[in-house]
Amino acid sequence: MHMIVEVGAQLDPDVSWPEGAALSMFVGEPVQLMIFLSHPHALEVEAVSQAPTQFAWVDSEHVGVLAYRLGPILGWSEASFTPHMFDAEDGLPGVDLDPRVRIVLVDRDTNIVKALHTVRWPEPFASTVRESVVRMRETPYSAFAYEHALAALHRRYPTAEDLVVDRADAHCTAKPA
C-alpha cells in the first residue's frame, strides 16, 4: 500500500475502501496508518494532527494489532497487521530505525485525503513492534491462524480500549516528526 498522498488529493477513484484502518510497514518507508471513514467529522479530521497521538501494540503470534488514539477527544481504534498480506515486490515488511508513522485520513466516499500527519515512535516502542514484525515475517503464514488469533483477541477484548488496558505489549505517546 505504498502511496504518496497530500491533503486534498484524491486516491484512485476506482478503488472502494472498507470503513476502518489499514496498516503498512516497510523497511525504508514510514509506517503508514490509513484511516478510511465515510464523511469524517471535523473533529476526526482535526484529531489526526492534535496531540497526544498514542499507540499500543499487541503481538498475538500470527497477528499484530496497532491500537491508536488521536488527539484528546477521540477514543481508541485499531488496525490489524501481518507481514504476509503484502507481495514481495512491495518491499520487506518491517519498521525502520527512524520509526516515523504517517497517519492519513481519507473520506472513503470521495477518496479524498482529509488529513495527514507524521509522528515518531519512541525507540522502545518501535523496537517491540520491529521484533514482532520480524518474528511474524519468519513464521509460515496460515490464514486460519491469522483469523483465529484475531477472533480470539476480539472475543476476549471486545473493544480497542480493552486491548490497550488489558493486553498491550507496549504503549507510547508519539512525538512530532
Side-chain angles (χ1 to χ4, degrees):
M1 185 177 304
H2 308 283
M3 290 185 204
I4 298 175
V5 296
E6 56 188 39
V7 174
Q10 185 177 32
L11 303 182
D12 186 344
D14 297 326
V15 175
S16 178
W17 301 99
E19 187 90 9
L23 180 64
S24 63
M25 296 187 240
F26 294 101
V27 173
E29 297 180 22
V31 170
Q32 188 153 276
L33 175 63
M34 297 195 68
I35 305 165
F36 301 96
L37 300 177
S38 291
H39 304 294
H41 188 276
L43 289 175
E44 292 168 319
V45 173
E46 191 175 308
V48 169
S49 58
Q50 279 194 340
T53 304
Q54 299 174 297
F55 294 97
W57 180 254
V58 174
D59 182 338
S60 185
E61 192 173 353
H62 294 282
V63 63
V65 177
L66 181 68
Y68 57 93
R69 184 171 184 204
L70 307 175
I73 297 173
L74 300 182
W76 287 94
S77 297
E78 65 184 76
S80 60
F81 178 82
T82 178
H84 302 289
M85 293 293 184
F86 301 95
D87 295 325
E89 60 267 10
D90 289 335
L92 181 66
V95 177
D96 269 357
L97 293 177
D98 178 18
R100 290 174 298 128
V101 180
R102 181 182 303 128
I103 305 163
V104 182
L105 176 63
V106 179
D107 182 331
R108 67 179 289 271
D109 297 321
T110 63
N111 281 355
I112 293 178
V113 175
K114 293 295 190 175
L116 175 65
H117 188 61
T118 302
V119 295
R120 183 171 273 113
W121 283 338
E123 183 48 39
F125 183 84
S127 178
T128 298
V129 177
R130 188 179 301 116
E131 291 169 11
S132 178
V133 171
V134 167
R135 185 197 45 72
M136 283 188 287
R137 194 175 65 209
E138 294 172 352
T139 302
Y141 179 65
S142 162
F144 175 77
Y146 170 83
E147 293 295 333
H148 178 73
L150 195 55
L153 282 173
H154 287 141
R155 267 192 315 277
R156 177 126 189 206
Y157 310 100
T159 69
E161 186 169 347
D162 292 334
L163 270 174
V164 171
V165 171
D166 297 328
R167 177 60 179 78
D169 297 294
H171 301 84
C172 79
T173 298
K175 306 291 184 211

